[in-house]
Amino acid sequence: MIESVFVDHYLEGLPEPLRVGVAKHWANFEQALVREGMTIPEDAEFLTNLCRVWAVSEFVALSCTRQPALLTGLLDSGDLNRRFESNTYSRSLHKQIQAEVTNAENLGQCLRRFRQREMLRIAWRDIAGQADVNETMADLSALADACIGLALSWLYQQMTAELGIPQNAEGQPQQMVVLGMGKLGACELNFSSDVDLIFVYPETGETHGGRRALSNEQFFARLGQSLIKVLDENTAEGFVFRVDMRLRPFGQSGALACSFQAMENYYQAHGRDWERYALVKARIVAGDPEQGAALLDTLRPFVYRRYLDFGAFEALREMKTMVEAEVKRKGMANHVKLGAGGIREVEFIGQAFQLIRGGREPELQQREIQRVLAYLAEKDYLPDYVVQQLLEAYTFLRTTEHRLQEFLDQQTHSLPDDDLGRQRLAFGMGFGHWDEFIPVLRGHMARVHSHFEQVFAAPQAEHTTSDASGLTALWQDQLDEADGIAVLQTAGYENAAASWATLKTFREMRCYQSLSRTGRGRMDRLVPLMLGAVAQAADPDTVLQRLFSLLESIARRSAYLSLLIEHPLALSQLVRLCAASPWISQLLVKHPVLLDELLDPRRLYQPPDRLQLEADLKQRLSHVDDDDLEQAMDVLRQFKQANVLRVAAADVVEAVPLMEVSNLLTDIAEVILECVLEQAWTDMVSRYGVPSCADVGGEKGDDSKGFAVLAYGKLGGLELGYGSDLDLVFVHSSDSLNGMTSASLNGKNNGSKPVADAVFFARLGQRMIHIMTAHTPAGILYEVDMRLRPSGASGLLVTSLSAFADYQKNRAWTWEHQALVRARVVAGDAHVGKKFETVRREVLSQKRASVELRKDIADMREKM
């Protein structure tokens, strides 16, 4: 008999305090099996797992004793020991429930029965060690998805049959989209979690085909109410999932369902920082996935800013302070979710970086916190060991959370305070005693809290709370002129009177007076920090004037103020660079986005080599849509500005030799020219096809465009300076007057408007110049000078190589041959480049009359 085996052997594997309860459940279960005429296998592994699971989970034990068919059914189907992929699992559940539901009346009953079966399966596998925490979270989330999706589908069909089909103004049917928020959105649902939902629908309108017309808002509000009731109502068979709708626009006072446009308008006008935080995890869990994806795309700019938004630190600090106050008020120190070092702090760390950098780095726009943390280690935003400790703590804490909730299927996060509960939790976590478990838990939470404090430490706090220097009082206009000048003198300002006047002028300027409450608060924290940092410079009065010019340009962009507040190292680098170079100071004034580069001094003072530049630009452009030229142009400009700043920074601190500076600037220009050519070429080919002289994808290789960019002047001579323009000449290899672009290549249509080769290359050159010289919000890329082409400003923009050779040999002036000395190919077709080098060598090797040559050169110098 299984009974004797169980009592005599398997029960002995449990801690003494847990044996009585399991033995009692076994007796009831055995009676239920006999009553139902069922049996279970006499399998050692199964019985060991049964003993362990029942010891940890009263919920599973009672489910088995009351409905033994749940366990036997899972055994017979093999589902108890089967690992499902999340997508497969959700679809499988959907089909199983769908097969059981016959009408809307038994929908809730079927959902509850399936919930009981699957929760038993998930808890069993989790406690028995057959599933890790990630599988458990994924299965719970997939179960919720299936239940919500099926319920919505049935209820929509029922309501449209009764009330008509909701339509927009054009008569297109409308369906509700359900957003899963929080842990459901991230597919990280815990065992007894509620589900945070938001109901939305695409467009306003009214129903058609019913007894009377309802507005879409009314229809979807009723649909939402029905969905909540089916999921949330606690009947004799329990509930499916508790539903929380408080994250919708305007919270509990807002409409239960709103249109896409109303939701977008709400976040634009009323969206708060905590709502950005919530939307990080938003996911479509039911309804039309394409329409839902379009909605999330429209909300993405609200969640992820295109700049580095260090104001998120302040917002998350405020949220955490509110949570800590709630924890303290309710006495939840032993709360594994909200307590110090709990699950929420791990999530805050990852999501801070998401909100700050997510707009610039789409890799951070993901919902799962573990993937986010892994990316932070990969990018070196957090040290590897820190991420490893956070991941280990997260796994341990989430497993602890599941054990607490699996006991009675109740939403709890607090550690037990009774001996039996502590023994049960310790055993469920793999420890023999509570005294073995609790130090490990406390260790994880201590490490998490330490890392949290380091990430979220407010660097301005010490300065503002204890300002012995008087700089805060000085900035806040609490001192008269004499005392203010004295404070500046004590701090180290030599011409303190002039600096006092600079401060006073800035404080009275409109850029400061018109700041919002948030912006002024950040400015008031930054300026005293800045005054202290500037005081350490060799000429603090001059540096202060430069920095206030910068503050004037960024005053209304408070994210940059936050960047400097949150990162004292960035502020110190800013002071250092502005003290060393007025040119760098002006560069930062024109392009404040470059302040981002100050965050990492290791990177700032180490200009990249050619390969690193190419990789960096490729990575930046990988996030730009192929047809978004405007965005690509801005990326090119930001790439150039950032890397020129790095060269300048290394230059002023003498981290690179003087002669190396020109080489580095030249590399930047060449990498950009190659990229600009590729972008212009792709655009031209899509319009006109491929020139007859090109051999793209053919025997000559993919770079055989029949076109090359020649660099003259400082670029050609590898002597580029910070403000140099680019002296360029464009040449192509098409000599046929009848040459035309081909609309197809290798069976692919590459352009519907064939043109003459010469026209194609002329437009290619024009396109390149436009990309480089057009004014965008990020400025211009380079000034381009094309006057060194054959016949100068009156000549063709792009010349064939044969015409170029003829001109150079027969009609060029001596000064043009002088310019040719430094000419070289910097982008384009390598085969055209080789031909150019042949022409150049022949021209420069011509015999010349020394007297005439000297006279021509002297005359040219005199004109210059």
Side-chain angles (χ1 to χ4, degrees):
M1 292 289 293
I2 292 179
E3 178 183 5
S4 62
V5 174
F6 184 85
V7 171
D8 295 341
H9 179 67
Y10 296 102
L11 203 61
E12 294 177 358
L14 298 179
E16 182 67 32
L18 304 180
R19 295 177 187 175
V20 174
V22 175
K24 180 180 177 181
H25 288 310
W26 174 258
N28 293 334
F29 180 60
E30 190 176 36
Q31 292 175 10
L33 288 174
V34 172
R35 186 173 58 250
E36 301 291 336
M38 300 175 180
T39 60
I40 58 173
E42 296 188 28
D43 178 81
E45 181 180 359
F46 166 73
L47 292 172
T48 299
N49 287 339
L50 182 145
C51 179
R52 176 178 181 81
V53 173
W54 284 7
V56 174
S57 176
E58 190 83 356
F59 159 74
V60 174
L62 291 174
S63 296
C64 292
T65 57
R66 292 169 180 171
Q67 301 181 67
L70 290 176
L71 181 57
T72 58
L74 288 168
L75 282 168
D76 293 342
S77 66
D79 287 351
L80 193 65
N81 299 309
R82 181 177 296 123
R83 183 183 188 277
F84 293 94
E85 295 296 330
S86 57
N87 291 336
T88 305
Y89 182 51
S90 184
R91 287 195 298 269
S92 173
L93 289 175
H94 196 286
K95 289 179 181 178
Q96 292 179 56
I97 305 172
Q98 180 74 40
E100 295 292 327
V101 179
T102 57
N103 53 59
E105 282 66 37
N106 79 334
L107 171 64
Q109 185 181 49
C110 289
L111 289 173
R112 281 158 177 76
R113 288 177 179 175
F114 267 87
R115 193 255 184 195
Q116 291 169 0
R117 175 185 188 271
E118 294 307 313
M119 292 295 276
L120 190 156
R121 186 192 79 87
I122 292 168
W124 183 291
R125 289 179 54 77
D126 185 33
I127 298 170
Q130 295 174 306
D132 61 20
V133 68
N134 293 316
E135 179 184 334
T136 301
M137 293 188 297
D139 282 0
L140 289 165
S141 302
L143 175 61
D145 286 359
C147 292
I148 296 168
L150 186 86
L152 177 64
S153 177
W154 266 96
L155 294 170
Y156 181 79
Q157 293 175 28
Q158 180 191 41
M159 286 188 59
T160 52
E162 179 184 349
L163 302 175
I165 299 174
Q167 300 177 359
N168 64 7
E170 288 73 37
Q172 297 172 324
Q174 302 287 288
Q175 293 188 7
M176 190 164 79
V177 174
V178 180
L179 291 182
M181 310 292 285
K183 287 184 167 59
L184 174 60
C187 294
E188 297 169 343
L189 211 59
N190 58 47
F191 188 78
S192 192
S193 176
D194 54 10
V195 289
D196 295 293
L197 304 178
I198 295 178
F199 300 149
V200 285
Y201 56 90
E203 296 181 66
T204 57
E206 60 182 23
T207 58
H208 293 264
R211 296 189 306 273
R212 62 186 180 87
L214 293 175
S215 69
N216 285 355
E217 182 178 350
Q218 291 173 310
F219 177 92
F220 288 115
R222 291 189 184 185
L223 177 59
Q225 290 168 347
S226 297
L227 178 59
I228 293 170
K229 182 177 180 180
V230 166
L231 297 173
D232 189 86
E233 187 177 28
N234 206 344
T235 69
E237 294 182 296
F239 60 91
V240 186
F241 284 98
R242 291 177 293 269
V243 178
D244 191 333
M245 298 295 298
R246 290 176 295 176
L247 292 179
R248 69 185 188 268
F250 295 110
Q252 291 176 309
S253 63
L256 191 64
C258 64
S259 69
F260 285 8
Q261 187 62 56
M263 192 171 190
E264 184 178 359
N265 291 342
Y266 168 80
Y267 287 120
Q268 287 181 349
H270 306 286
R272 290 158 290 181
D273 288 311
W274 69 262
E275 288 173 305
R276 288 181 62 202
Y277 172 84
L279 283 171
V280 165
K281 293 187 176 184
R283 177 174 64 90
I284 309 303
V285 297
D288 189 327
E290 291 186 2
Q291 289 185 322
L295 171 65
L296 292 181
D297 282 342
T298 64
L299 299 180
R300 188 165 286 111
F302 168 70
V303 183
Y304 299 108
R305 308 293 162 80
R306 292 179 68 174
Y307 48 82
L308 294 185
D309 183 15
F310 283 92
F313 271 131
E314 185 177 349
L316 287 170
R317 274 196 207 102
E318 292 174 356
M319 288 176 59
K320 188 63 173 73
T321 299
M322 293 172 62
V323 170
E324 288 173 345
E326 185 75 359
V327 168
K328 185 176 181 180
R329 186 177 67 84
K330 294 185 176 181
M332 297 189 296
N334 287 327
H335 205 281
V336 297
K337 178 181 177 182
L338 301 180
I343 296 167
R344 183 58 56 83
E345 288 193 355
V346 178
E347 294 174 332
F348 269 26
I349 290 171
Q351 286 163 344
F353 286 93
Q354 287 184 278
L355 294 177
I356 291 166
R357 296 181 175 275
R360 296 271 291 271
E361 300 179 49
E363 295 88 350
L364 282 168
Q365 295 181 19
Q366 48 190 329
R367 303 175 182 92
E368 300 89 339
I369 186 61
Q370 294 178 88
R371 292 186 180 182
V372 172
L373 292 173
Y375 179 79
L376 296 180
E378 177 187 332
K379 298 294 288 185
D380 203 26
Y381 292 143
L382 287 175
D384 287 341
Y385 82 92
V386 170
V387 169
Q388 186 62 35
Q389 289 180 355
L390 290 173
L391 289 172
E392 290 173 357
Y394 180 78
T395 299
F396 193 90
L397 290 167
R398 289 306 304 268
T399 304
T400 303
E401 176 185 52
H402 287 160
R403 296 294 178 273
L404 291 169
Q405 296 180 355
E406 286 162 344
F407 173 50
L408 288 175
D409 188 18
Q410 292 179 347
Q411 189 179 24
T412 179
H413 300 87
S414 296
L415 299 175
D417 53 12
D418 63 293
D419 291 340
L420 184 60
R422 289 178 171 182
Q423 179 64 69
R424 182 185 298 110
L425 177 58
F427 176 71
M429 290 297 294
F431 295 87
H433 303 282
W434 176 257
D435 291 341
E436 296 174 2
F437 162 74
I438 198 66
V440 177
L441 175 68
R442 296 300 187 204
H444 281 301
M445 296 183 75
R447 286 187 288 274
V448 169
H449 190 61
S450 174
H451 297 319
F452 176 86
E453 290 291 300
Q454 290 185 55
V455 170
F456 284 88
Q460 77 278 12
E462 181 179 348
H463 186 91
T464 54
T465 56
S466 178
D467 182 25
S469 67
L471 294 175
T472 299
L474 168 66
W475 169 248
Q476 293 177 351
D477 205 19
Q478 297 173 1
L479 305 179
D480 60 24
E481 182 174 356
D483 289 340
I485 291 175
V487 165
L488 288 171
Q489 287 175 332
T490 302
Y493 288 82
E494 296 177 2
N495 191 354
S499 295
W500 164 267
T502 300
L503 281 169
K504 189 172 185 297
T505 299
F506 183 80
R507 199 163 42 229
E508 294 171 352
M509 291 176 69
R510 179 174 176 76
C511 67
Y512 174 71
Q513 293 295 329
S514 62
L515 285 176
S516 65
R517 180 180 178 182
T518 298
R520 179 171 291 203
R522 291 177 180 174
M523 183 70 79
D524 288 346
R525 288 195 297 275
L526 173 59
V527 173
L529 295 171
M530 188 183 77
L531 290 172
V534 170
Q536 310 304 315
D539 184 4
D541 306 291
T542 300
V543 177
L544 188 65
Q545 291 179 353
R546 294 173 184 172
L547 283 173
F548 270 118
S549 295
L550 175 63
L551 289 188
E552 184 179 353
S553 70
I554 66 172
R556 302 192 67 82
R557 302 164 79 174
S558 61
Y560 291 127
L561 304 180
S562 294
L563 183 155
L564 296 172
I565 294 169
E566 298 290 348
H567 288 270
L569 190 59
L571 179 59
S572 68
Q573 299 311 311
L574 174 64
V575 171
R576 181 183 188 186
L577 293 177
C578 288
S581 168
W583 184 86
I584 293 179
S585 175
Q586 285 303 306
L587 181 67
L588 292 169
V589 169
K590 292 179 182 177
H591 308 293
V593 70
L594 294 176
L595 291 171
D596 301 345
E597 300 299 322
L598 307 181
L599 295 172
D600 186 357
R602 296 169 301 175
R603 171 183 164 92
L604 179 62
Y605 299 109
Q606 292 182 357
D609 60 26
R610 180 67 173 262
L611 292 177
Q612 291 171 327
L613 286 169
E614 291 171 349
D616 180 20
L617 183 54
K618 181 179 180 181
Q619 192 272 335
R620 290 176 185 239
L621 289 170
S622 67
H623 305 314
V624 179
D625 293 337
D626 293 338
D627 58 352
D628 192 348
L629 179 61
E630 181 179 354
Q631 178 66 10
M633 288 167 65
D634 277 345
V635 168
L636 282 168
R637 283 152 177 74
Q638 291 164 3
F639 166 80
K640 179 214 171 179
Q641 293 155 6
N643 284 291
V644 169
L645 174 65
R646 292 172 67 183
V647 173
D651 185 6
V652 297
V653 301
E654 299 181 353
V656 295
L658 179 61
M659 299 304 294
E660 182 68 16
V661 170
S662 294
N663 292 339
L664 293 168
L665 295 172
T666 300
D667 283 342
I668 295 170
E670 290 185 19
V671 168
I672 289 173
L673 279 169
E674 289 175 351
C675 181
V676 168
L677 173 56
E678 286 298 327
Q679 289 185 324
W681 174 267
T682 300
D683 184 29
M684 291 298 105
V685 168
S686 69
R687 297 185 187 189
Y688 308 114
V690 179
S692 62
C693 62
D695 188 31
V696 178
E699 295 180 0
K700 297 180 182 178
D702 288 343
D703 69 338
S704 185
K705 297 178 173 64
F707 179 89
V709 179
L710 310 181
Y712 280 67
K714 290 184 177 180
L715 177 60
L718 302 175
E719 299 169 350
L720 210 61
Y722 293 109
S724 297
D725 57 9
L726 304 184
D727 293 296
L728 302 178
V729 172
F730 300 146
V731 295
H732 65 80
S733 61
S734 179
D735 292 324
S736 173
L737 296 177
N738 298 320
M740 300 285 291
T741 58
S742 173
S744 64
L745 182 70
N746 298 331
K748 295 175 64 177
N749 185 20
N750 290 294
S752 58
K753 301 176 182 179
V755 296
D757 286 351
V759 173
F760 175 93
F761 287 122
R763 292 178 180 176
L764 176 65
Q766 290 169 345
R767 192 64 165 168
M768 289 183 65
I769 293 172
H770 168 74
I771 292 173
M772 288 188 284
T773 61
H775 286 267
T776 75
I780 68 168
L781 195 52
Y782 284 102
E783 295 285 0
V784 176
D785 191 337
M786 300 294 296
R787 291 175 296 175
L788 290 177
R789 67 186 187 270
S791 300
S794 62
L796 296 174
L797 183 66
V798 186
T799 310
S800 71
L801 194 58
S802 58
F804 177 85
D806 177 70
Y807 178 84
Q808 290 290 344
K809 292 177 180 178
N810 300 309
R811 297 190 301 281
W813 296 78
T814 297
W815 66 265
E816 289 178 290
H817 287 177
Q818 282 183 267
L820 194 62
V821 169
R822 296 201 290 181
R824 61 190 180 90
V825 177
V826 291
D829 192 329
H831 304 286
V832 177
K834 290 179 180 178
K835 293 178 181 178
F836 162 74
E837 286 297 335
T838 300
V839 172
R840 175 177 176 274
R841 190 179 304 110
E842 291 173 353
V843 171
L844 296 180
S845 300
Q846 289 177 353
K847 291 185 177 181
R848 304 174 189 275
S850 299
V851 174
E852 183 179 348
L853 178 62
R854 282 196 295 269
K855 181 178 184 305
D856 287 346
I857 292 175
D859 288 345
M860 179 50 115
R861 282 299 298 164
E862 187 174 343
K863 289 180 180 179
M864 292 174 65

